[in-house]
């Protein structure tokens, strides 16, 4: 058993990190458009509006909006079978609560999908990838409000109907579990906690609203086109117990509970015992409306997509459910951003998810962020990236061949250099294609192939058989 013939090889991006043209053709502001650039170890500042004189990396990003033909041609040269991208929600509904969409925004994605189809590249589309309309945050409190369910479903209906013959693979919310895993769930849910509000209640209510919205989108999408494949998307934190002490095994369980909270509901269609236990751990409450349970039951996803970059270690710290995460794993190396490099962890992640849900899996983010240097002769030797990706794809191959896991595809993150979501930096590069731009937004935006470009082309052409470095 090897990779199936229709395995979806490709690369992944997000509109807020890639498109630019933040105010072009009627687009409204997203939550990303008011985040300043920063650097590793320094948090990004979040403004309430765009203030002149500040650098907001999403405003230009790397200008896919005007260079999509050039970039897609490069993806085609690599032999991409698919391209994961997102639709920028406020490009379609600038405020988010309008009755009618912005035609110019829809027309842009018409052009992108047509260009992808020209090269027989399958679009894989994320509906919400850290691009909630800023207006919905300012006027409704973002996903605190149940009103966002209807706004999101209206947006989904428009794009499902518009692109029902161009797009088959969809995901609802990128890394939805980050709503519970972040101290301030801004990127995922558009939420910065207010003074005096109970954080646990906000997180649980926002999470419920998002999962109901996802379920409604799945139901609607299948009505519009029964051939749609609509998945959930998680950031999967492969976690090891620090020792063989049983309490450290319990620490691993507790660390993973916030992640299974979402996948259990979206894959099984109800709040499981794991979900109930996590609600009690948080000490929060939330409100369900009549009919919500049936919506969740009917709106389960077709597949599970996930990102995998590193693994973690969990240690019991007592009492009961307090855990420590973040210590070094002595068996693994770390990259420049202090992330463990753990290819086998990808295979183990695939096993954990498939054993739990028995749904097709799709690795939609995996890659090595690194500082790439252009040599005097113009070449870019990114051997570390090649070695990283080769080892991870080998682990993925073992999961398919040895463990008989049903894997749909693999899209490495940042197939072209894009803005880092965590810091707004450009120097943290993931791509096979170098983009001439620095952390201050300066550069020509010219594209240049790295050594990994031809390596990945070989991987795709051999359907994952030739991973030689």
């Amino acid at each position: 058993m090897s990779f199936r013939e229709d395995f979806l090889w490709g690369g992944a991006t997000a509109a807020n990190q890639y498109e630019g043209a933040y105010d072009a053709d009627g687009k409204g502001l997203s939550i990303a458009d008011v985040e300043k650039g920063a650097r590793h170890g320094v948090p990004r500042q979040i403004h309430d509006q765009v203030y002149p004189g500040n650098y907001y990396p999403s405003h230009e990003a790397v200008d896919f909006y005007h260079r999509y033909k050039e970039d897609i041609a490069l993806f085609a040269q690599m032999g991409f079978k698919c391209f994961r991208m997102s639709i920028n929600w406020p490009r379609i509904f600038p405020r988010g609560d309008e009755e009618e969409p912005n035609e110019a925004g829809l027309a842009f994605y018409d052009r992108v999908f047509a260009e992808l189809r020209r090269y027989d590249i399958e679009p894989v589309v994320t509906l919400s990838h850290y691009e909630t309309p800023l207006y919905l945050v300012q006027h409704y409190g973002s996903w605190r409000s149940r009103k966002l369910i209807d706004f999101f479903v209206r947006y989904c209906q428009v794009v499902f109907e518009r692109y029902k013959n161009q797009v088959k693979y969809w995901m609802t919310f990128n890394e939805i579990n980050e709503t519970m895993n972040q101290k301030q769930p801004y990127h995922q849910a558009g939420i910065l906690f207010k003074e005096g509000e109970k954080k646990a209640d906000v997180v649980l209510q926002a999470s419920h609203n998002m999962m109901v919205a996802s379920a409604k989108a799945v139901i609607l999408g299948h009505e519009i086109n029964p051939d749609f494949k609509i998945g959930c998307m998680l950031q999967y934190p492969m976690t090891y117990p620090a020792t063989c002490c049983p309490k450290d095994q319990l620490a691993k369980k507790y660390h993973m509970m916030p992640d299974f909270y979402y996948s259990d509901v979206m894959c099984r269609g109800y709040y499981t015992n794991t979900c109930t236990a996590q609600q009690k751990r948080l000490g929060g409450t939330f409100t369900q409306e009549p009919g919500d349970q049936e919506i969740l039951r009917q709106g389960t996803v077709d597949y599970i997509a996930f990102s995998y970059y590193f693994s973690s270690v969990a240690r019991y710290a007592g009492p009961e459910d307090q855990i420590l995460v973040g210590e070094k794993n002595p068996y693994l190396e770390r990259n420049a951003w202090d992330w463990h490099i753990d290819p086998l962890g990808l295979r183990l992640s695939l096993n954990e998810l498939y054993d739990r849900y028995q749904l097709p899996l799709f690795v939609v983010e995996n890659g090595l962020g690194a500082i790439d240097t252009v040599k005097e002769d113009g070449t870019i030797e990114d051997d570390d990236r090649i070695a990283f990706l080769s080892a991870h794809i080998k682990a993925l191959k073992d999961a398919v061949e040895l463990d008989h896991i049903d894997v749909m595809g693999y899209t490495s993150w940042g197939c072209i250099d894009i803005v880092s979501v965590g810091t707004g930096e450009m120097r943290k590069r993931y791509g096979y294609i170098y983009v001439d731009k620095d952390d201050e937004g300066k550069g020509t935006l010219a594209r240049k192939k790295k050594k990994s470009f031809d390596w990945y082309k070989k991987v795709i052409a051999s359907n994952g058989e030739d991973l030689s470095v």
Side-chain angles (χ1 to χ4, degrees), residues 175 234-238 240 306-311 340-347 349 363-367 388 392:
E175 295 183 338
L234 309 170
Q235 193 278 329
Y236 198 77
M238 182 63 212
Y240 305 113
F306 69 100
S307 59
Y308 176 84
Y309 294 97
F310 56 86
S311 59
H340 287 117
I341 298 174
D342 184 10
L344 183 55
L346 175 56
R347 179 180 173 187
S349 298
V363 181
V364 295
E365 291 186 28
N366 174 242
F388 178 97
H392 281 75

Side-chain angles (χ1 to χ4, degrees), residues 250-302:
L250 191 62
K252 171 188 172 169
K253 172 183 169 63
Y254 284 137
H255 185 56
M256 297 296 293
M257 280 172 63
D259 308 291
F260 293 139
Y261 185 90
Y262 297 89
S263 51
D264 276 8
V265 175
M266 300 174 82
C267 298
R268 293 178 173 169
Y270 61 92
Y271 286 100
T272 63
N273 64 299
T274 296
C275 300
T276 303
Q278 179 62 12
Q279 291 162 10
K280 291 184 176 179
R281 284 186 71 213
L282 291 178
T285 60
F286 66 101
T287 301
Q288 298 191 59
E289 290 195 0
D292 282 358
Q293 292 183 14
E294 182 61 19
I295 291 168
L296 293 175
R297 188 188 68 80
Q298 292 185 14
T300 54
V301 295
D302 300 313

Side-chain angles (χ1 to χ4, degrees), residues 268-435:
R268 293 178 173 169
Y270 61 92
Y271 286 100
T272 63
N273 64 299
T274 296
C275 300
T276 303
Q278 179 62 12
Q279 291 162 10
K280 291 184 176 179
R281 284 186 71 213
L282 291 178
T285 60
F286 66 101
T287 301
Q288 298 191 59
E289 290 195 0
D292 282 358
Q293 292 183 14
E294 182 61 19
I295 291 168
L296 293 175
R297 188 188 68 80
Q298 292 185 14
T300 54
V301 295
D302 300 313
Y303 65 92
I304 302 169
F306 69 100
S307 59
Y308 176 84
Y309 294 97
F310 56 86
S311 59
S312 300
V313 175
R315 184 182 297 277
Y316 177 84
E320 186 54 28
D321 63 352
Q322 291 186 17
I323 57 176
L324 294 174
V325 179
E327 63 185 74
K328 291 185 178 180
N329 187 328
Y331 300 98
L332 299 174
E333 296 180 358
R334 290 192 166 202
N335 67 15
W337 274 261
D338 211 27
W339 292 359
H340 287 117
I341 298 174
D342 184 10
L344 183 55
L346 175 56
R347 179 180 173 187
L348 294 170
S349 298
L350 289 159
N351 274 269
E352 286 185 352
L353 283 167
Y354 197 68
D355 287 349
R356 190 176 183 97
Y357 299 112
Q358 294 289 295
L359 284 173
L361 303 177
F362 197 162
V363 181
V364 295
E365 291 186 28
N366 174 242
L368 178 68
I371 298 173
D372 295 327
T373 302
V374 182
K375 294 185 175 182
E376 290 185 4
D377 63 1
T379 61
I380 304 166
E381 304 284 334
D382 57 340
D383 293 310
D384 287 350
R385 178 171 296 109
I386 294 172
F388 178 97
L389 293 170
S390 178
H392 281 75
I393 295 172
K394 173 61 167 61
L396 175 63
K397 194 169 187 287
D398 288 343
V400 171
E401 294 184 347
L402 304 179
D403 307 326
H404 301 277
I405 308 297
D406 183 4
V407 184
M408 300 164 51
Y410 174 88
T411 57
S412 57
W413 178 249
C415 48
I416 181 172
D417 292 345
I418 57 178
V419 171
S420 166
V421 69
T423 63
E425 294 173 296
M426 278 299 299
R427 66 182 182 135
K428 185 181 182 183
R429 299 174 181 271
Y430 285 88
Y432 308 110
I433 302 164
Y434 184 91
V435 177

